[in-house]
Amino acid sequence: MTSGTGVPARTRVLHRTLLTGALTVVLLLAGCTGCDDGADHSGPPTPRTDTTCDGRIDGTAHLTMWYHAPSALGERDAVRAQVHAFNTSQKDVKVTLLDLPKGDYDAQVHAAAADGELPDLLDFDAPNLFSYAWAGDIRPIGSCLPDRLRADLLPSVLEQGTYRGELWGLGTFDSGLGLYIRPSVFEKAGVRIPRGPRDAWTATEFTGILKKLRKLGYDTPLDLNMQYADTEWGTYGFAPAVWSAGGDLIDRSTYRTADGALNGPEAVKALTTLQSWVKAGYVDANKDSGAFQEGRSPVSWTGHWWYRRYTEAFPGDVAIVPLPDFGEGTVTGMGSWQWGVPAGSADGDAVWRFLAVLLSPGEVSRMTELNGAIPATRTAIARTELFGEGGPERLYIEQLEGGVARPRPQTPAYPAITRAFSAACGKIMKGAAVRPALDEAVRAIDKDLADHQYYPPTGP
């Protein structure tokens, strides 16, 4: 996950220097071998030029694209392979993948948008979509999506890409959370193992389980990836506890304040419970990111991206169960990187021709087999052993399709929300008083909302 910078539209020009030289870099055509938002809908929509698809491509269309460069996963190599395979398979559309300099990807997007120099196709971390759409930096793509593909996509992928009733982005994969456990340890401790979301441990029950695991010899039985609490992980990882308790990061009935939602009794109770596990010493500091693999913690609160490494460490002794129920049912996060079409003159049919290939079962599988993410389409899911019926990661599909997954707040204010909430999480995990930390986060969020006139539908 990537933490957004949340640069307001009116100040994005300040970041232009971040792209000095970036857009004059040599364009590399990659080669390889083989091939609900609830916001105020009054007033006119955000000004933009819709992406339309009429089924025609006149001549040969030339498209440029950006792709973020994640660490160690090799996703960019997969995208290069996809570009090469697409370009050699037909002559109507040619795609050029631009190499960007190292740096804050979101800041580069904001700077290029301010200069009117975005490419024809862009990927972005899902919760940043709302600020891009509101600012008019991207345009809707719903008219290009065939009904057959729409029906095949996971509902969470469509929900994450929707803002003000229109579809602005689509991802080839999604995400999810769960508790990774070692069944052999739990059987020895005499602890029941949940069978699915309806059978999740309660937060109180889970506290008792941690006590039992400590008696079994595990001094720090729980890994919360606490070393990342003050980053985007803090929001993605721990907002589900707040939601499960009945709280939220913002009042979604108006999207005009966080007061009463983020600092309400439900949110305070959930984060107080998380903090109590830290204070009791149940949570491993995990400075080496090896708490689970090294055997110190037989429980890890994390996402799909750890499955491969965990199962390599303990073959045949890893299971995934739902996050604890803090009062109103277990909840998981969702949302990952998506593709969108920047505002500009690119031919919608040409862009969609390439996007349709990226969303095809073979290309979805190419990417998700590499990065371990959840395939975006049911067709691709059915082809996998991990996520298919009876697969070891099937829980993620049940959560995404069964209403257990919830998107991060679908508002242009999300960058401010995640900065404030993750900062509060970092302080709370280090022992700060819960309510004052959340009150501080509320003030920061509400100030951003007021500074942007509550993000009116007409945009900046």
Side-chain angles (χ1 to χ4, degrees), residues 93-135:
V93 182
K94 295 301 176 186
V95 178
T96 299
L97 177 64
L98 290 116
D99 277 351
L100 297 176
K102 291 182 179 180
D104 187 316
Y105 180 78
D106 189 53
Q108 292 174 337
V109 172
H110 279 296
D115 286 337
E117 295 177 331
L118 285 172
D120 301 312
L121 182 62
L122 176 74
D123 84 317
F124 42 76
D125 202 7
N128 291 332
L129 176 150
F130 316 115
S131 59
Y132 293 159
W134 177 77

Short mmCIF file of all heavy atoms in Angstrom, two decimals, residues 93-135:
data_model
loop_
_atom_site.label_atom_id
_atom_site.label_comp_id
_atom_site.label_asym_id
_atom_site.label_seq_id
_atom_site.Cartn_x
_atom_site.Cartn_y
_atom_site.Cartn_z
N VAL A 93 -3.13 -0.02 -31.91
CA VAL A 93 -2.77 0.77 -30.73
C VAL A 93 -1.35 0.42 -30.31
O VAL A 93 -1.01 -0.76 -30.19
CB VAL A 93 -3.73 0.51 -29.56
CG1 VAL A 93 -3.36 1.39 -28.36
CG2 VAL A 93 -5.18 0.76 -29.96
N LYS A 94 -0.54 1.43 -30.09
CA LYS A 94 0.81 1.22 -29.59
C LYS A 94 0.95 1.93 -28.24
O LYS A 94 0.66 3.11 -28.11
CB LYS A 94 1.86 1.76 -30.57
CG LYS A 94 1.86 1.01 -31.91
CD LYS A 94 2.14 -0.48 -31.72
CE LYS A 94 2.06 -1.23 -33.04
NZ LYS A 94 2.19 -2.70 -32.85
N VAL A 95 1.39 1.18 -27.25
CA VAL A 95 1.51 1.69 -25.89
C VAL A 95 2.98 1.87 -25.53
O VAL A 95 3.79 0.97 -25.77
CB VAL A 95 0.84 0.74 -24.88
CG1 VAL A 95 0.99 1.26 -23.46
CG2 VAL A 95 -0.64 0.55 -25.21
N THR A 96 3.30 3.00 -24.95
CA THR A 96 4.66 3.28 -24.50
C THR A 96 4.67 3.46 -22.99
O THR A 96 3.96 4.33 -22.46
CB THR A 96 5.22 4.54 -25.18
OG1 THR A 96 5.26 4.35 -26.59
CG2 THR A 96 6.64 4.83 -24.67
N LEU A 97 5.44 2.65 -22.29
CA LEU A 97 5.57 2.76 -20.85
C LEU A 97 6.69 3.73 -20.52
O LEU A 97 7.84 3.53 -20.92
CB LEU A 97 5.88 1.38 -20.25
CG LEU A 97 6.13 1.32 -18.74
CD1 LEU A 97 4.87 1.71 -17.98
CD2 LEU A 97 6.57 -0.09 -18.35
N LEU A 98 6.35 4.81 -19.83
CA LEU A 98 7.35 5.81 -19.46
C LEU A 98 8.05 5.41 -18.18
O LEU A 98 7.41 4.98 -17.21
CB LEU A 98 6.69 7.18 -19.26
CG LEU A 98 6.16 7.87 -20.51
CD1 LEU A 98 4.67 8.02 -20.42
CD2 LEU A 98 6.81 9.22 -20.66
N ASP A 99 9.36 5.53 -18.17
CA ASP A 99 10.13 5.32 -16.94
C ASP A 99 10.18 6.63 -16.16
O ASP A 99 10.53 7.67 -16.71
CB ASP A 99 11.56 4.88 -17.27
CG ASP A 99 11.65 3.39 -17.55
OD1 ASP A 99 10.64 2.70 -17.31
OD2 ASP A 99 12.71 2.93 -18.00
N LEU A 100 9.82 6.56 -14.90
CA LEU A 100 9.84 7.74 -14.04
C LEU A 100 11.04 7.69 -13.10
O LEU A 100 11.50 6.61 -12.75
CB LEU A 100 8.55 7.81 -13.20
CG LEU A 100 7.26 7.97 -13.98
CD1 LEU A 100 6.08 7.91 -13.02
CD2 LEU A 100 7.25 9.27 -14.75
N PRO A 101 11.53 8.84 -12.68
CA PRO A 101 12.63 8.84 -11.70
C PRO A 101 12.11 8.35 -10.36
O PRO A 101 10.91 8.37 -10.09
CB PRO A 101 13.04 10.31 -11.64
CG PRO A 101 11.80 11.05 -11.99
CD PRO A 101 11.11 10.21 -13.04
N LYS A 102 13.01 7.89 -9.50
CA LYS A 102 12.60 7.48 -8.17
C LYS A 102 12.07 8.69 -7.41
O LYS A 102 12.54 9.80 -7.56
CB LYS A 102 13.78 6.86 -7.44
CG LYS A 102 14.23 5.51 -8.00
CD LYS A 102 15.36 4.93 -7.18
CE LYS A 102 15.79 3.58 -7.75
NZ LYS A 102 16.90 2.97 -6.96
N GLY A 103 11.10 8.43 -6.57
CA GLY A 103 10.53 9.52 -5.80
C GLY A 103 9.11 9.19 -5.38
O GLY A 103 8.63 8.08 -5.61
N ASP A 104 8.42 10.13 -4.78
CA ASP A 104 7.06 9.96 -4.33
C ASP A 104 6.14 9.94 -5.55
O ASP A 104 5.92 10.95 -6.21
CB ASP A 104 6.69 11.10 -3.39
CG ASP A 104 5.33 10.91 -2.74
OD1 ASP A 104 4.38 10.52 -3.44
OD2 ASP A 104 5.22 11.15 -1.52
N TYR A 105 5.59 8.77 -5.84
CA TYR A 105 4.79 8.60 -7.05
C TYR A 105 3.57 9.52 -7.04
O TYR A 105 3.26 10.17 -8.05
CB TYR A 105 4.37 7.14 -7.18
CG TYR A 105 3.54 6.82 -8.40
CD1 TYR A 105 4.14 6.68 -9.65
CD2 TYR A 105 2.16 6.66 -8.32
CE1 TYR A 105 3.39 6.38 -10.77
CE2 TYR A 105 1.41 6.36 -9.43
CZ TYR A 105 2.02 6.22 -10.67
OH TYR A 105 1.26 5.92 -11.78
N ASP A 106 2.86 9.59 -5.92
CA ASP A 106 1.67 10.42 -5.87
C ASP A 106 2.00 11.89 -6.07
O ASP A 106 1.26 12.62 -6.73
CB ASP A 106 0.96 10.21 -4.53
CG ASP A 106 -0.40 10.88 -4.48
OD1 ASP A 106 -1.21 10.63 -5.39
OD2 ASP A 106 -0.65 11.65 -3.54
N ALA A 107 3.13 12.33 -5.53
CA ALA A 107 3.55 13.72 -5.73
C ALA A 107 3.86 13.97 -7.20
O ALA A 107 3.57 15.04 -7.74
CB ALA A 107 4.78 14.03 -4.87
N GLN A 108 4.43 12.97 -7.88
CA GLN A 108 4.71 13.10 -9.30
C GLN A 108 3.42 13.23 -10.10
O GLN A 108 3.32 14.01 -11.05
CB GLN A 108 5.53 11.91 -9.79
CG GLN A 108 6.95 11.88 -9.24
CD GLN A 108 7.69 10.61 -9.62
OE1 GLN A 108 7.10 9.59 -9.91
NE2 GLN A 108 9.02 10.69 -9.61
N VAL A 109 2.41 12.45 -9.70
CA VAL A 109 1.11 12.53 -10.37
C VAL A 109 0.51 13.92 -10.19
O VAL A 109 0.04 14.54 -11.15
CB VAL A 109 0.15 11.45 -9.84
CG1 VAL A 109 -1.26 11.66 -10.40
CG2 VAL A 109 0.65 10.06 -10.22
N HIS A 110 0.53 14.42 -8.96
CA HIS A 110 -0.02 15.75 -8.69
C HIS A 110 0.72 16.82 -9.49
O HIS A 110 0.11 17.74 -10.05
CB HIS A 110 0.07 16.07 -7.20
CG HIS A 110 -1.03 15.46 -6.38
ND1 HIS A 110 -2.35 15.81 -6.53
CD2 HIS A 110 -0.99 14.52 -5.40
CE1 HIS A 110 -3.08 15.12 -5.68
NE2 HIS A 110 -2.28 14.32 -4.98
N ALA A 111 2.05 16.71 -9.55
CA ALA A 111 2.83 17.72 -10.26
C ALA A 111 2.53 17.69 -11.75
O ALA A 111 2.37 18.74 -12.38
CB ALA A 111 4.32 17.47 -10.01
N ALA A 112 2.46 16.49 -12.32
CA ALA A 112 2.17 16.38 -13.74
C ALA A 112 0.76 16.87 -14.05
O ALA A 112 0.52 17.49 -15.09
CB ALA A 112 2.35 14.93 -14.19
N ALA A 113 -0.19 16.61 -13.15
CA ALA A 113 -1.55 17.09 -13.35
C ALA A 113 -1.60 18.61 -13.36
O ALA A 113 -2.29 19.23 -14.18
CB ALA A 113 -2.46 16.54 -12.25
N ALA A 114 -0.83 19.22 -12.46
CA ALA A 114 -0.80 20.68 -12.40
C ALA A 114 -0.24 21.28 -13.68
O ALA A 114 -0.63 22.37 -14.10
CB ALA A 114 0.05 21.13 -11.20
N ASP A 115 0.69 20.55 -14.33
CA ASP A 115 1.30 21.02 -15.56
C ASP A 115 0.58 20.54 -16.82
O ASP A 115 1.01 20.84 -17.93
CB ASP A 115 2.76 20.56 -15.63
CG ASP A 115 3.66 21.34 -14.67
OD1 ASP A 115 3.27 22.47 -14.31
OD2 ASP A 115 4.71 20.83 -14.30
N GLY A 116 -0.48 19.75 -16.64
CA GLY A 116 -1.20 19.20 -17.78
C GLY A 116 -0.37 18.19 -18.55
O GLY A 116 -0.49 18.08 -19.78
N GLU A 117 0.48 17.43 -17.86
CA GLU A 117 1.40 16.51 -18.53
C GLU A 117 1.24 15.07 -18.06
O GLU A 117 2.19 14.30 -18.06
CB GLU A 117 2.84 16.98 -18.30
CG GLU A 117 3.13 18.32 -18.96
CD GLU A 117 4.54 18.83 -18.68
OE1 GLU A 117 5.08 18.50 -17.61
OE2 GLU A 117 5.09 19.54 -19.54
N LEU A 118 0.04 14.70 -17.67
CA LEU A 118 -0.21 13.31 -17.33
C LEU A 118 -0.22 12.44 -18.58
O LEU A 118 -0.50 12.94 -19.68
CB LEU A 118 -1.56 13.17 -16.60
CG LEU A 118 -1.59 13.65 -15.14
CD1 LEU A 118 -3.03 13.64 -14.63
CD2 LEU A 118 -0.71 12.78 -14.27
N PRO A 119 0.07 11.15 -18.45
CA PRO A 119 0.03 10.26 -19.61
C PRO A 119 -1.41 9.93 -19.99
O PRO A 119 -2.36 10.47 -19.41
CB PRO A 119 0.77 9.02 -19.10
CG PRO A 119 0.43 8.99 -17.65
CD PRO A 119 0.43 10.44 -17.21
N ASP A 120 -1.58 9.03 -20.94
CA ASP A 120 -2.93 8.64 -21.38
C ASP A 120 -3.54 7.57 -20.48
O ASP A 120 -4.75 7.38 -20.47
CB ASP A 120 -2.88 8.12 -22.82
CG ASP A 120 -2.33 9.15 -23.78
OD1 ASP A 120 -2.79 10.31 -23.73
OD2 ASP A 120 -1.43 8.81 -24.59
N LEU A 121 -2.70 6.87 -19.75
CA LEU A 121 -3.17 5.83 -18.84
C LEU A 121 -2.30 5.87 -17.58
O LEU A 121 -1.08 6.04 -17.68
CB LEU A 121 -3.07 4.44 -19.50
CG LEU A 121 -3.57 3.25 -18.69
CD1 LEU A 121 -5.07 3.40 -18.39
CD2 LEU A 121 -3.32 1.95 -19.44
N LEU A 122 -2.93 5.72 -16.43
CA LEU A 122 -2.26 5.95 -15.16
C LEU A 122 -2.73 4.94 -14.14
O LEU A 122 -3.91 4.58 -14.11
CB LEU A 122 -2.61 7.36 -14.68
CG LEU A 122 -2.12 7.85 -13.33
CD1 LEU A 122 -0.63 8.16 -13.39
CD2 LEU A 122 -2.90 9.10 -12.93
N ASP A 123 -1.82 4.44 -13.30
CA ASP A 123 -2.27 3.63 -12.16
C ASP A 123 -2.09 4.44 -10.88
O ASP A 123 -1.26 5.35 -10.82
CB ASP A 123 -1.56 2.28 -12.12
CG ASP A 123 -0.20 2.32 -11.44
OD1 ASP A 123 0.56 3.28 -11.72
OD2 ASP A 123 0.11 1.41 -10.66
N PHE A 124 -2.91 4.14 -9.89
CA PHE A 124 -2.87 4.88 -8.63
C PHE A 124 -3.43 4.01 -7.53
O PHE A 124 -4.24 3.11 -7.77
CB PHE A 124 -3.67 6.20 -8.72
CG PHE A 124 -4.98 6.07 -9.44
CD1 PHE A 124 -6.08 5.48 -8.83
CD2 PHE A 124 -5.12 6.54 -10.73
CE1 PHE A 124 -7.29 5.37 -9.49
CE2 PHE A 124 -6.32 6.41 -11.42
CZ PHE A 124 -7.41 5.83 -10.80
N ASP A 125 -2.99 4.28 -6.30
CA ASP A 125 -3.52 3.56 -5.15
C ASP A 125 -4.99 3.94 -5.00
O ASP A 125 -5.36 5.12 -5.05
CB ASP A 125 -2.73 3.93 -3.90
CG ASP A 125 -2.85 2.88 -2.81
OD1 ASP A 125 -3.45 1.82 -3.07
OD2 ASP A 125 -2.33 3.11 -1.71
N ALA A 126 -5.83 2.94 -4.80
CA ALA A 126 -7.28 3.11 -4.91
C ALA A 126 -7.87 4.30 -4.14
O ALA A 126 -8.67 5.05 -4.71
CB ALA A 126 -7.97 1.81 -4.49
N PRO A 127 -7.53 4.52 -2.86
CA PRO A 127 -8.20 5.62 -2.16
C PRO A 127 -7.82 7.01 -2.66
O PRO A 127 -8.48 7.99 -2.31
CB PRO A 127 -7.76 5.42 -0.70
CG PRO A 127 -6.50 4.64 -0.78
CD PRO A 127 -6.67 3.74 -1.97
N ASN A 128 -6.77 7.11 -3.48
CA ASN A 128 -6.42 8.41 -4.06
C ASN A 128 -7.33 8.78 -5.23
O ASN A 128 -7.33 9.92 -5.69
CB ASN A 128 -4.97 8.41 -4.53
CG ASN A 128 -3.99 8.35 -3.37
OD1 ASN A 128 -4.29 8.80 -2.28
ND2 ASN A 128 -2.82 7.78 -3.61
N LEU A 129 -8.09 7.79 -5.70
CA LEU A 129 -8.98 8.02 -6.85
C LEU A 129 -9.92 9.20 -6.61
O LEU A 129 -10.15 10.02 -7.51
CB LEU A 129 -9.80 6.75 -7.12
CG LEU A 129 -10.87 6.79 -8.21
CD1 LEU A 129 -11.01 5.39 -8.82
CD2 LEU A 129 -12.24 7.22 -7.68
N PHE A 130 -10.45 9.31 -5.39
CA PHE A 130 -11.49 10.30 -5.13
C PHE A 130 -10.96 11.73 -5.23
O PHE A 130 -11.65 12.61 -5.75
CB PHE A 130 -12.10 10.04 -3.75
CG PHE A 130 -12.38 8.58 -3.51
CD1 PHE A 130 -11.72 7.88 -2.52
CD2 PHE A 130 -13.28 7.91 -4.31
CE1 PHE A 130 -11.95 6.52 -2.32
CE2 PHE A 130 -13.53 6.55 -4.12
CZ PHE A 130 -12.86 5.86 -3.14
N SER A 131 -9.73 11.95 -4.77
CA SER A 131 -9.17 13.30 -4.89
C SER A 131 -8.81 13.61 -6.34
O SER A 131 -8.97 14.74 -6.80
CB SER A 131 -7.94 13.46 -3.98
OG SER A 131 -6.93 12.53 -4.31
N TYR A 132 -8.35 12.59 -7.09
CA TYR A 132 -8.04 12.81 -8.51
C TYR A 132 -9.32 13.13 -9.29
O TYR A 132 -9.34 14.02 -10.14
CB TYR A 132 -7.39 11.57 -9.11
CG TYR A 132 -6.01 11.24 -8.59
CD1 TYR A 132 -5.50 9.95 -8.71
CD2 TYR A 132 -5.20 12.18 -7.98
CE1 TYR A 132 -4.24 9.61 -8.24
CE2 TYR A 132 -3.95 11.88 -7.50
CZ TYR A 132 -3.46 10.58 -7.63
OH TYR A 132 -2.21 10.25 -7.17
N ALA A 133 -10.39 12.39 -9.00
CA ALA A 133 -11.65 12.62 -9.71
C ALA A 133 -12.21 14.00 -9.37
O ALA A 133 -12.66 14.75 -10.25
CB ALA A 133 -12.66 11.53 -9.35
N TRP A 134 -12.18 14.35 -8.10
CA TRP A 134 -12.72 15.64 -7.68
C TRP A 134 -11.95 16.79 -8.32
O TRP A 134 -12.53 17.79 -8.74
CB TRP A 134 -12.64 15.76 -6.15
CG TRP A 134 -13.10 17.08 -5.63
CD1 TRP A 134 -14.39 17.52 -5.49
CD2 TRP A 134 -12.26 18.16 -5.20
NE1 TRP A 134 -14.41 18.81 -4.99
CE2 TRP A 134 -13.11 19.22 -4.80
CE3 TRP A 134 -10.88 18.33 -5.09
CZ2 TRP A 134 -12.63 20.43 -4.31
CZ3 TRP A 134 -10.40 19.54 -4.60
CH2 TRP A 134 -11.27 20.58 -4.22
N ALA A 135 -10.63 16.64 -8.43
CA ALA A 135 -9.79 17.69 -9.00
C ALA A 135 -9.89 17.76 -10.53
O ALA A 135 -9.38 18.69 -11.14
CB ALA A 135 -8.34 17.48 -8.60
#
